Amino acid sequence: MEAHKQLTIGLFGFGVVGEGLYKVLQQTPSLRATIKKVCIKNPTKQRNAPAALFTTEKEELLSDESINVIVEVIDDANAAFEIVSIAMRNGKGVVSASKKMIAEHLPEILELQQETGLPFLYEAAACASIPVIRNLEEYYDNDLLHSIKAIVNGSTNFILTKMFEDKLSFQSALLLAQQLGFAESNPKLDVEGYDAVNKWAILLNHAYGIVEHPDNILFTGIQNIQLSDALVAREKSLDVKLIAQAKKLSNGQVAAFVLPQFVKHDEPLSFVKNEYNGVVIESGFADKQFFYGKGAGSFPTASAVLSDISALRYNYCYEYKKLYHHNPHELTTDYYLKVYVSFDDWKYIPREKFEWIEEWHADADRKYLVGVLHAGELLNDSWWKENGSSLILSPDPVIDNIDIINLKKRSLELAGVV
Ligand code: HSE
């Protein structure tokens, strides 16, 4: 695409994000970007824009040669992938906010970009208004990222804040998240962690060059968290958050997961409330950096789409530097996690699977323990999210294999065995 050109946009979707983008573009005439046509699924729905703008025929956008950019913000992942593939093969640059589609089709999307040489940008697909993808691509263009720890789903963070700070019920908090346009059309995607793991699969690529289907990443959502867990957290001066984390291990492989986690009050992520997202990056020399911003909602998400549209004027493309120009890292589940599990009955807990249990409370109705498990055990089994059991990670949960060996050796020494 030639630089600084007029952008003529074909927009797919006019929901929370699509309508937000329409309004935002009207307020930024300096961008020289106009929406020529909007393709929608339901023609009978009342829309806040002139009727002539809308069509239900995708070909009207995809085959229109005057349209040089397709913006795709629909929530049907399969339809979105088809639109993106046709648009790029027809020579159009694409901006997308479809996290599920991007996470599930990453290999094909990488191929499409190599094959066509066209830009495909998706900053809105992770942490909405926080420019995390471009930062990981451009600023951390090196091999020094030690870890990333983030809140990447606005709805679950909103629900946890409303439940534990404002004493709303789970159902009322979820309803509010839906009314405010934060939740997915199927809120199970938010609540059970699917949306967060999709975003994490995308960010793992830009951070570490890892291309992994979200099914292969250890995750759950906030569906099993109980009020009693929040009480334990309060007693220990901790918060409960849904945290996505990736950490480079001593052998260079990467541990990555999305799980509820206890967060200390003095950690930056403890400060992230409601629909806000936050990302803490730890890198060599810079130490810790914290990015904070709205992670859901119409205008915050549209602002990221707008920034991608703007970047297209300068032919910006992701270079996937960690994947193509460095040695990509490998994901592993061969490490250990320090976990808290609360449960109704001991019979639901396979105690033999723990490396060790260092704390347990069995007196009240709701029992809990704190112990160490192999991460592979959690990925391959599901006892920890069944029968009302609730697993929450300790504040600094990742234990390297090498540390496990040393810890075990020390405890044997202390016990006088060796
Ligand atoms: N449902 C998503 C969230 C929207 O709550 O984070 C933004 O991706």
Side-chain angles (χ1 to χ4, degrees):
M1 291 168 94
E2 82 230 30
H4 307 254
K5 67 200 265 185
Q6 170 76 36
L7 300 177
T8 305
I9 298 170
L11 172 63
F12 281 85
F14 206 73
V16 173
V17 184
E19 189 177 340
L21 178 68
Y22 174 73
K23 289 184 186 153
V24 160
L25 275 174
Q26 281 181 322
Q27 289 172 43
T28 45
S30 58
L31 199 61
R32 295 177 62 221
T34 46
I35 297 178
K36 182 168 180 194
K37 212 76 196 168
V38 183
C39 185
I40 47 165
K41 206 162 63 181
N42 180 358
T44 58
K45 207 161 144 188
Q46 189 66 33
R47 312 277 177 178
N48 296 320
L53 202 58
F54 296 97
T55 178
T56 52
E57 297 299 323
K58 57 178 191 275
E59 279 311 310
E60 268 190 54
L61 284 65
L62 294 171
S63 306
D64 184 336
E65 283 183 11
S66 70
I67 290 179
N68 50 8
V69 176
I70 291 294
V71 176
E72 174 285 302
V73 288
I74 64 174
D75 71 356
D76 174 338
N78 293 332
F81 181 61
E82 199 192 331
I83 290 163
V84 168
S85 310
I86 299 174
M88 291 183 77
R89 295 218 164 92
N90 287 359
K92 302 180 194 307
V94 175
V95 174
S96 168
S98 296
K99 327 142 264 198
K100 186 170 187 298
M101 178 272 283
I102 299 164
E104 289 178 354
H105 292 278
L106 205 48
E108 296 106 301
I109 283 169
L110 291 167
E111 224 175 275
L112 261 173
Q113 289 171 86
Q114 290 208 308
E115 186 188 309
T116 63
L118 285 163
F120 174 65
L121 305 181
Y122 44 85
E123 188 62 71
C127 299
S129 74
I130 310 177
V132 63
I133 295 178
R134 260 190 265 169
N135 265 303
L136 288 172
E137 268 294 314
E138 306 304 330
Y139 189 84
Y140 300 94
D141 173 25
N142 53 48
D143 205 18
L144 298 170
L145 271 188
H146 295 328
S147 73
I148 325 179
K149 194 167 170 180
I151 291 172
V152 295
N153 180 269
S155 300
T156 44
N157 202 52
F158 180 87
I159 293 169
L160 291 174
T161 309
K162 292 293 172 226
M163 279 172 69
F164 298 148
E165 293 191 14
D166 302 345
K167 309 287 173 250
L168 253 58
S169 70
F170 172 83
Q171 281 309 332
S172 323
L174 172 59
L175 190 67
L176 206 53
Q178 288 176 299
Q179 285 165 347
L180 292 167
F182 303 152
E184 299 300 297
S185 341
N186 175 3
K188 181 181 153 164
L189 295 179
D190 294 301
V191 172
E192 299 188 10
Y194 294 96
D195 181 74
V197 78
N198 287 335
K199 290 166 175 167
W200 208 229
I202 295 171
L203 292 182
L204 283 175
N205 179 25
H206 293 281
Y208 291 112
I210 290 169
V211 180
E212 195 68 63
H213 194 282
D215 284 353
N216 302 329
I217 299 171
L218 172 62
F219 81 98
T220 193
I222 61 166
Q223 69 274 28
N224 295 328
I225 298 176
Q226 312 263 330
L227 193 60
S228 64
D229 300 331
L231 295 176
V232 173
R234 189 167 313 149
E235 254 170 46
K236 297 177 185 255
S237 296
L238 299 166
D239 284 315
V240 183
K241 301 276 188 194
L242 183 63
I243 301 285
Q245 192 166 348
K247 188 174 178 177
K248 228 193 275 178
L249 301 172
S250 56
N251 64 4
Q253 292 184 313
V254 173
F257 47 82
V258 177
L259 292 167
Q261 187 170 141
F262 289 122
V263 176
K264 291 183 188 156
H265 288 325
D266 60 358
E267 270 197 62
L269 292 180
S270 160
F271 171 76
V272 179
K273 304 204 188 258
N274 293 313
E275 79 274 26
Y276 280 83
N277 283 183
V279 186
V280 176
I281 290 179
E282 241 181 286
S283 66
F285 312 120
D287 207 347
K288 272 191 193 175
Q289 290 156 306
F290 176 44
F291 299 80
Y292 171 73
K294 287 196 171 168
S298 181
F299 285 166
T301 312
S303 84
V305 176
L306 184 77
S307 179
D308 281 349
I309 293 173
S310 178
L312 287 184
R313 292 162 63 221
Y314 303 95
N315 299 325
Y316 178 75
C317 287
Y318 301 136
E319 284 178 62
Y320 298 95
K321 297 192 179 89
K322 316 291 167 57
L323 182 62
Y324 298 134
H325 305 320
H326 296 269
N327 280 336
H329 287 83
E330 246 179 70
L331 194 66
T332 181
T333 52
D334 190 16
Y335 61 96
Y336 293 82
L337 286 167
K338 187 156 166 186
V339 304
Y340 152 104
V341 187
S342 74
F343 51 93
D344 291 327
D345 197 306
W346 278 104
K347 69 179 182 218
Y348 300 132
I349 305 299
R351 272 174 279 184
E352 71 286 356
K353 300 209 162 155
F354 284 79
E355 287 305 304
W356 68 79
I357 294 175
E358 57 188 45
E359 192 183 332
W360 64 91
H361 296 257
D363 38 355
D365 278 352
R366 187 78 182 165
K367 305 163 192 10
Y368 76 82
L369 61 80
V370 177
V372 171
L373 279 169
H374 192 261
E377 159 65 24
L378 293 177
L379 187 68
N380 297 327
D381 214 338
S382 54
W383 59 265
W384 52 278
K385 41 186 173 182
E386 288 166 357
N387 300 307
S389 297
S390 158
L391 178 140
I392 302 176
L393 295 178
S394 294
D396 201 2
V398 179
I399 310 176
D400 222 302
N401 286 350
I402 194 108
D403 295 326
I404 285 279
I405 293 166
N406 289 336
L407 283 166
K408 278 187 176 166
K409 216 161 89 189
R410 226 181 53 217
S411 70
L412 287 176
E413 277 164 11
L414 284 174
V417 180
V418 287

